[in-house]
Amino acid sequence: MAAALLTLGASWAQAQPAGLPLRSSPLLEEKVSARQQSEGAVFVKGEQITARPDMDLVIEGQASIRRPGLAVSADRVDYDQTQDVVDASGKVRVSRETSVFTGPHLNLKVDSFQGTFEKPDFELYSSGGYGQAAEVEFVDDKRSILRKASYTTCRRTPGPEWLPEWLLKATQLTVDEEESTIDAKGVQFRFKDVPIFAAPSLSLPLTNERKSGLLPPLFSVDTVNGVEVAQPYYFDIAPNRDATVTTHVMSQRGIAADTEFRYLERDYSGQVRLNLMPADKLRDANRWGLSSQHNGGIDTGLESVGRIGLGLTLNRVSDNNYWRDFPRSGLALTQRILPSTGVLSWGKGDFSMTAQVQRWQNLQDAAPPYDRAPQITMRYGQWNAEGLDWSVVGDTTRFEADYSRVASLVANGTLPRNGERSYIQAQVSRPWIRPWGFVTPKVQLHATRYQMDRALDNGALSANRVLPTFSVDSGLVFERETRWFGRDVLQTLEPRAFYARTPYKNQDMLPVYDSGATDFNLATIFSENAYVGQDRLVDNDALTLGLSSRFFDAGTGAEMLRIGMAQRIRFSDQQVNLSSNQADRAAGLSDILFGAGIRWDDRWSFDATIQAKNQTHEISRTTLQGRYSHSAYRVINMAYRANNQVTPKTEFVDVGWQWPLSDLIGRTDRQAETAWTRTSGQGLGPDRWYSVGRLNYSLKERSLVDTLVGLEYDAGCWLGRVAFERLQTNISTASPTSATSRILFQLEFVGFARVGISPLKHLSDNIPRYQYLRDSAVQPSRFQHYE
């Protein structure tokens, strides 16, 4: 028989045309439609069935009735077809796509899904919650009322003495699947069988969907704020808009309020954040901070013009000490120089243009960056046009700065060099690229004009500069197949030569608006200009030589190892500097750069960069970074950074980790972990401790700069986190050191609420490859519980 079926199947397959298309089936859709429910077939099964056509039906012994979206099983089922009522008794089980109920007796109108269930146990798939009730009243297929109910997400373990770690008791639970909420009345919450709080009413989310209401309160202890209690309230304004208002009460500083508003439209999106502290005891002043971002476009209604891009960024604070006193207000407001920018952009084909206004709020006693008021840039270019890549960029900018609020500059009588700068930069290159290598000659022309508000050092109010640049970039690629440690490997050897020539022109009198030195590394060493911006064009007559080798896994193509080195040879002195006080760079050999990167497998990675002086062979800069990621929730990051080119010299060691403590005491159960981690983002299993942290240590100062250490405990249905954080704002011996410390503590009752100050964002920001013990839950498919 089997052989005949196989033969028939093979003949049928051969008869089908190649590329037989697959069609979607409504039976496999995630949601059961109303049409399927009303028109779908009804299946009846049991040891004994007694029926009167179109009147009633009695099923006894392992009885079950199944239809699309609903399955009912019991010891006995009576079905009154005239009333469409099912009466089931004895081990009754009602299974739907979103829930399952089990109990002794059920009375239910099938089509309207109205009825009652006595003393049921239940499971809600959307929230992962379990519970019991004295009675369930099914209002319709989306709403049900559970009376004298208990609810938890703790999984039952064998044994009569089992009690859930946490339990929510309520006189009434109303489950609304349409609104994705659970409304509770007469609430009592118990943790470890100890009453924690009670409330007359409470609303819980059934899924991860948003809902307006009070969020769990937050508690923390801080050396600056003292004991802090924060109460957030969430406003679900619309599917594409929401807001959160958080009130803070701090024992050492007073009362503050944070407001965040977010919006997302088809053509634009953004957020606004406002921090208010009316009377800060720390400074005896009113404090505030405002941060706003908006990105989108404007539809002109003209087909020839199309859309115009719009970007707005606003960052402002009340005073110069804000970054020091509010170190955790977010990156946008904790910098010492705050940008506010408005940008319009437009492009069509090969042409694009932007117009922007940028202003800075300076919070330090140093010269602020120049405002751009405004800057207009136009660009036109083509790539691979008859083999050529060419472009023309035109820019005109008004630069302004105000030094009147910088005490040190006022004392020295330093004045800003406000003015306008316009430039045109044209370039053309012809790449020849082959499998064995490449050659790319390039010619550039820079034309710049300055119009100053006050005279330059030579007495002129304007200055012009026109400079050409010629460069040639070339490289070869040699390959060979080899074998390393039993693995087939493809190795490359890639020599590279880059020559650049720019004639010298004295630029000491020109202002420095937006130029600065580029970082000297294995990428920027192969560039025409040692400075970013347009105020300084370095005089170049230099050849850069480099050699790199890469090793690839021949089977997967993954890069396993990369090593390289590069050095620049100057044929003449470099005389153009950012300021006239800087010494010229002598002709000859530059510092030599070494780099390496190892990705031998998915667990190990290592990167290294070393800059060494050519004459003395002293190490100028060193960066060493390594990572070991054994498996899920096991990662160690280490880094060493030293810079001997700055004053004072710096040398840091950085260590970050996430690791289960069970590994250290020999309690690792790899088989159980594998079974548990099949669902990503759910930890390694219950009853596990994890150590997490990051330490940044200054070897020069012999002190910790930034510290974040903590513990996480996963009990399965609840998580505990505690962390200690210390942020240091200054480690220089030239100025006093200040730091703030705080303790972060949180209890997370899975599927219910979080209480305390969450360290999760701090851990994920500071520990590369840190994994949450509970990622946002993916809603289960109805086929996971198909009956």
Side-chain angles (χ1 to χ4, degrees):
M1 179 67 178
L5 288 174
L6 289 173
T7 303
L8 179 60
S11 302
W12 182 86
Q14 292 175 358
Q16 299 307 306
L20 183 66
L22 297 176
R23 295 183 301 174
S24 61
S25 170
L27 299 178
L28 298 178
E29 292 179 356
E30 192 60 48
K31 296 293 184 181
V32 179
S33 66
R35 180 178 179 181
Q36 286 179 273
Q37 292 179 353
S38 61
E39 299 180 2
V42 177
F43 297 89
V44 177
K45 185 175 69 172
E47 295 178 355
Q48 180 177 336
I49 301 176
T50 304
R52 292 189 297 171
D54 299 326
M55 294 184 65
D56 54 30
L57 179 70
V58 179
I59 312 169
E60 296 178 287
Q62 298 183 6
S64 69
I65 296 178
R66 183 164 58 87
R67 55 177 286 182
L70 175 65
V72 178
S73 62
D75 292 339
R76 176 188 173 99
V77 174
D78 292 83
Y79 180 43
D80 186 343
Q81 297 182 39
T82 61
Q83 302 294 323
D84 191 34
V85 173
V86 166
D87 189 272
S89 58
K91 299 179 182 178
V92 182
R93 180 181 178 90
V94 177
S95 179
R96 303 169 61 215
E97 56 188 288
T98 58
S99 60
V100 60
F101 292 81
T102 59
H105 184 259
L106 168 73
N107 186 273
L108 179 70
K109 287 188 176 181
V110 179
D111 283 339
S112 62
F113 206 78
Q114 294 177 331
T116 59
F117 204 146
E118 296 179 5
K119 299 179 181 179
D121 294 341
F122 62 89
E123 179 180 357
L124 306 178
Y125 298 143
S126 298
S127 65
Y130 307 82
Q132 297 175 323
E135 182 187 68
V136 174
E137 177 185 349
F138 297 111
V139 179
D140 53 37
D141 62 339
K142 298 296 183 183
R143 280 165 286 273
S144 56
I145 300 174
L146 294 81
R147 297 183 175 88
K148 296 182 180 179
S150 61
Y151 176 82
T152 184
T153 57
C154 300
R155 294 182 179 272
R156 174 178 285 277
T157 57
E161 303 299 325
W162 177 81
L163 283 176
E165 296 281 307
W166 67 265
L167 186 67
L168 179 72
K169 291 186 174 182
T171 56
Q172 179 175 302
L173 288 179
T174 302
V175 180
D176 191 331
E177 296 177 7
E178 191 171 40
E179 297 294 331
S180 297
T181 59
I182 302 176
D183 293 321
K185 294 182 180 180
V187 178
Q188 183 190 68
F189 181 80
R190 303 177 71 90
F191 179 52
K192 295 286 187 178
D193 203 28
V194 176
I196 301 298
F197 76 86
S201 62
L202 188 68
S203 182
L204 307 174
L206 187 60
T207 64
N208 293 324
E209 296 181 8
R210 305 172 307 176
K211 186 180 185 300
S212 296
L214 289 170
L215 300 179
L218 310 174
F219 307 93
S220 68
V221 180
D222 193 309
T223 55
V224 175
N225 300 336
V227 178
E228 178 180 354
V229 180
Q231 178 59 68
Y233 190 94
Y234 179 77
F235 295 90
D236 184 17
I237 302 172
N240 59 336
R241 296 186 185 92
D242 66 4
T244 305
V245 178
T246 305
T247 303
H248 302 260
V249 179
M250 293 163 276
S251 63
Q252 297 182 12
R253 301 184 65 175
I255 299 176
D258 296 342
T259 302
E260 183 182 42
F261 171 66
R262 302 184 300 178
Y263 54 93
L264 175 64
E265 299 287 349
R266 182 175 65 88
D267 297 327
Y268 59 88
S269 63
Q271 65 176 8
V272 179
R273 185 171 183 176
L274 175 63
N275 305 328
L276 293 174
M277 184 176 288
D280 187 0
K281 299 177 183 178
L282 184 67
R283 300 284 179 181
D284 193 22
N286 297 331
R287 316 291 294 278
W288 58 268
L290 175 63
S291 177
S292 173
Q293 296 83 38
H294 174 92
N295 291 286
I298 302 173
D299 191 351
T300 63
L302 303 175
E303 184 177 352
S304 58
V305 177
R307 293 177 55 81
I308 297 176
L310 172 64
L312 299 173
T313 300
L314 176 63
N315 296 295
R316 282 292 184 268
V317 295
S318 57
D319 54 82
N320 290 354
N321 290 312
Y322 194 92
W323 64 273
R324 181 182 291 110
D325 299 339
F326 297 86
R328 300 175 182 89
S329 296
L331 179 62
L333 295 182
T334 54
Q335 304 175 82
R336 303 191 194 186
I337 304 174
L338 304 180
S340 294
T341 308
V343 181
L344 291 173
S345 60
W346 177 81
K348 189 172 185 179
D350 298 323
F351 179 79
S352 63
M353 66 178 299
T354 60
Q356 76 163 329
V357 174
Q358 184 179 57
R359 298 192 178 276
W360 300 85
Q361 182 181 9
N362 185 34
L363 307 182
Q364 59 186 355
D365 189 23
Y370 281 87
D371 297 337
R372 303 168 190 256
Q375 178 182 22
I376 300 174
T377 305
M378 292 179 285
R379 179 189 299 271
Y380 187 84
Q382 293 184 345
W383 281 259
N384 197 24
E386 303 297 330
L388 298 177
D389 296 341
W390 64 273
S391 65
V392 178
V393 179
D395 181 286
T396 182
T397 307
R398 168 70 183 177
F399 291 98
E400 296 178 348
D402 183 6
Y403 290 177
S404 62
R405 297 183 179 181
V406 183
S408 60
L409 299 181
V410 173
N412 296 332
T414 304
L415 297 175
R417 292 185 177 273
N418 297 341
E420 298 175 4
R421 185 194 67 195
S422 302
Y423 74 86
I424 294 177
Q425 176 182 323
Q427 66 177 33
V428 59
S429 62
R430 175 56 168 96
W432 281 279
I433 302 175
R434 298 293 184 269
W436 47 263
F438 67 94
V439 177
T440 305
K442 181 194 292 185
V443 177
Q444 301 180 52
L445 182 65
H446 307 261
T448 311
R449 176 174 176 79
Y450 292 86
Q451 190 69 41
M452 312 302 300
D453 290 358
R454 64 184 184 89
L456 298 169
D457 293 343
N458 62 358
L461 288 173
S462 62
N464 298 320
R465 181 193 63 193
V466 179
L467 283 173
T469 297
F470 171 74
S471 65
V472 178
D473 194 6
S474 61
L476 298 173
V477 179
F478 301 95
E479 296 181 355
R480 70 163 186 153
E481 296 179 352
T482 184
R483 191 171 179 82
W484 275 20
F485 303 104
R487 298 174 65 175
D488 293 329
V489 174
L490 178 66
Q491 180 190 2
T492 70
L493 185 66
E494 304 173 43
R496 183 178 179 183
F498 178 83
Y499 176 76
R501 176 77 172 98
T502 302
Y504 169 73
K505 187 167 187 178
N506 191 335
Q507 303 167 48
D508 290 344
M509 71 178 69
L510 300 180
V512 178
Y513 289 135
D514 60 0
S515 289
T518 60
D519 182 54
F520 189 62
N521 55 47
L522 286 170
T524 60
I525 196 173
F526 296 98
S527 60
E528 294 88 356
N529 194 8
Y531 302 116
V532 295
Q534 300 295 324
D535 299 312
R536 293 293 185 269
L537 297 178
V538 70
D539 53 317
N540 250 338
D541 186 10
L543 173 67
T544 301
L545 298 177
L547 180 65
S548 64
S549 181
R550 295 183 290 169
F551 297 79
F552 299 90
D553 188 300
T556 64
E559 185 179 278
M560 302 160 50
L561 171 65
R562 173 197 291 265
I563 55 175
M565 58 181 294
Q567 191 171 33
R568 179 178 292 161
I569 306 171
R570 295 190 185 88
F571 300 111
S572 61
D573 294 349
Q574 176 187 316
Q575 304 177 61
V576 175
N577 299 292
L578 287 175
S579 70
S580 58
N581 299 328
Q582 293 179 333
D584 296 344
R585 293 181 181 269
L589 298 175
S590 71
D591 289 358
I592 187 170
L593 297 173
F594 299 93
I598 301 175
R599 304 288 187 277
W600 190 254
D601 57 30
D602 293 336
R603 297 177 300 169
W604 291 94
S605 67
F606 177 78
D607 293 284
T609 303
I610 297 176
Q611 178 181 339
K613 293 183 179 296
N614 177 65
Q615 300 296 331
T616 62
H617 303 293
E618 295 178 353
I619 303 300
S620 302
R621 288 196 307 172
T622 304
T623 301
L624 306 175
Q625 300 180 92
R627 175 184 299 131
Y628 175 65
S629 181
H630 179 274
S631 56
Y633 303 97
R634 293 179 174 90
V635 62
I636 298 177
N637 306 285
M638 298 189 68
Y640 170 80
R641 299 178 181 88
N643 190 347
N644 298 323
Q645 297 178 310
V646 296
T647 303
K649 299 178 181 179
T650 60
E651 191 175 11
F652 296 96
V653 174
D654 194 284
V655 181
W657 70 92
Q658 180 186 30
W659 206 271
L661 292 178
S662 56
D663 289 7
L664 305 180
I665 58 177
R667 288 183 52 196
T668 304
D669 186 348
R670 299 295 186 191
Q671 186 175 359
E673 287 182 7
T674 302
W676 189 270
T677 54
R678 286 172 184 166
T679 304
S680 178
Q682 298 299 306
L684 298 176
D687 193 24
R688 292 180 186 271
W689 287 89
Y690 299 80
S691 173
V692 293
R694 180 187 177 185
L695 302 175
N696 186 256
Y697 184 79
S698 171
L699 295 174
K700 295 293 185 182
E701 300 298 324
R702 297 185 179 181
S703 65
L704 286 169
V705 180
D706 292 334
T707 303
L708 179 62
V709 292
L711 293 171
E712 292 184 288
Y713 177 70
D714 186 350
C717 61
W718 67 272
L719 306 171
R721 302 181 181 95
V722 60
F724 171 77
E725 181 186 42
R726 182 178 184 272
L727 300 179
Q728 189 163 308
T729 58
N730 199 310
I731 62 168
S732 173
T733 57
S735 59
T737 297
S738 60
T740 60
S741 302
R742 68 171 176 171
I743 296 175
L744 305 168
F745 175 78
Q746 184 187 58
L747 283 176
E748 177 180 349
F749 302 101
V750 178
F752 176 52
R754 292 174 176 174
V755 180
I757 296 290
S758 173
L760 289 176
K761 186 177 187 306
H762 303 272
L763 294 172
S764 61
D765 289 346
N766 287 278
I767 305 174
R769 292 199 177 184
Y770 170 82
Q771 291 180 271
Y772 294 143
L773 296 182
R774 293 293 184 276
D775 276 336
S776 297
V778 178
Q779 296 303 309
S781 168
R782 69 182 178 97
F783 296 103
Q784 292 179 236
H785 309 279
Y786 183 77
E787 296 186 11

